[in-house]
Structure formats: C-alpha cells, structure tokens
Amino acid sequence: MFSHVFVSVTDFDRALEFYSEVMRVLGVEARFCEPEIPWAGWHSEGRSRPYFVICKPYDGRPHHPGNGQMVAFMAKDRATVRAAYDAALRTGGTCEGQPGLRPEYHANYYGAYFRDPDGNKLCVASHGSE
C-alpha cells in the first residue's frame, strides 16, 4: 500500500539519534543515511519498500508537526513496545500514552504513544496476545 512515509525534522542530528535508537529496538534496518543532504531512511528486513524517511522540509521552511497525524510502527511483541517507548523517552521523546492494552481498538492491541524531539506523534503497537 505505501511507497514511503516521510517525517520532517528540525535538527537532523538529534532526529537521527532518536530514530536510530527506536528503529534498532524495533529491528528495522537502516536503508540509507546521507547527513550532507540531510536525510535518512529505514525499511523492514529484506525489503526495499515501504520505507520510513526523516529529512528537513523540502521547501526549506521550518518544520511544524501536524495535528492529528501519526505514524505507527509494528512491534513483534509487547516487550518490544515497552523497549521502543523507553528508547524514545531516553533519546529526547515525550510521552503521549504509556505502554498498555487499548481494548477500545481490539482485545490484544498493546501500544505506546510518544512524540519525537520535533513534536511528530508516533506509536509502536503489537497486535498479538502476550
């Protein structure tokens, strides 16, 4: 369905540290990193697409996080959700919802919500039983 998901950032080095750690915990591979542009991307193991990209806004104007927009990453289990959430907060993210069951979505939905250092809202979720 998706080719790629693009999230703009203000401070590329800070964002690279944040996303590199969250992606490492999720087991997501780096696809490219070109700090001179600056941009970086990650993709699922063994795949070329879809991929997730961070970069300064293309038009050169300041970054502004959108209200109501969110990117959600899949985690293999609940422990990985907790580990990704901890990594996000450790590297400058802020809490938008601690790890836990969200039965209003479905019985096994286990998610955590946070914002990156630029204010972009992210989720990490597992959909399997414990």
Side-chain angles (χ1 to χ4, degrees), residues 28-124:
V28 179
E29 295 180 344
R31 178 177 172 142
F32 62 88
C33 181
E34 298 175 358
E36 66 279 4
I37 291 181
W39 70 336
W42 294 263
H43 62 89
S44 299
E45 183 177 350
R47 298 187 184 215
S48 61
R49 292 191 187 270
Y51 61 97
F52 178 79
V53 180
I54 61 170
C55 185
K56 289 191 174 185
Y58 182 77
D59 65 6
R61 294 175 26 196
H63 162 81
H64 296 287
N67 183 29
Q69 298 172 359
M70 180 178 68
V71 176
F73 294 100
M74 180 77 75
K76 65 181 177 181
D77 54 33
R78 295 175 184 184
T80 304
V81 170
R82 292 187 294 272
Y85 173 83
D86 290 343
L89 297 189
R90 189 175 57 252
T91 56
T94 57
C95 176
E96 283 284 317
Q98 294 183 355
L101 285 169
R102 305 294 197 285
E104 63 271 25
Y105 302 135
H106 66 74
N108 291 319
Y109 186 101
Y110 188 90
Y113 299 85
F114 47 89
R115 291 190 183 265
D116 73 7
D118 285 296
N120 297 302
K121 189 171 181 182
L122 306 166
C123 170
V124 175

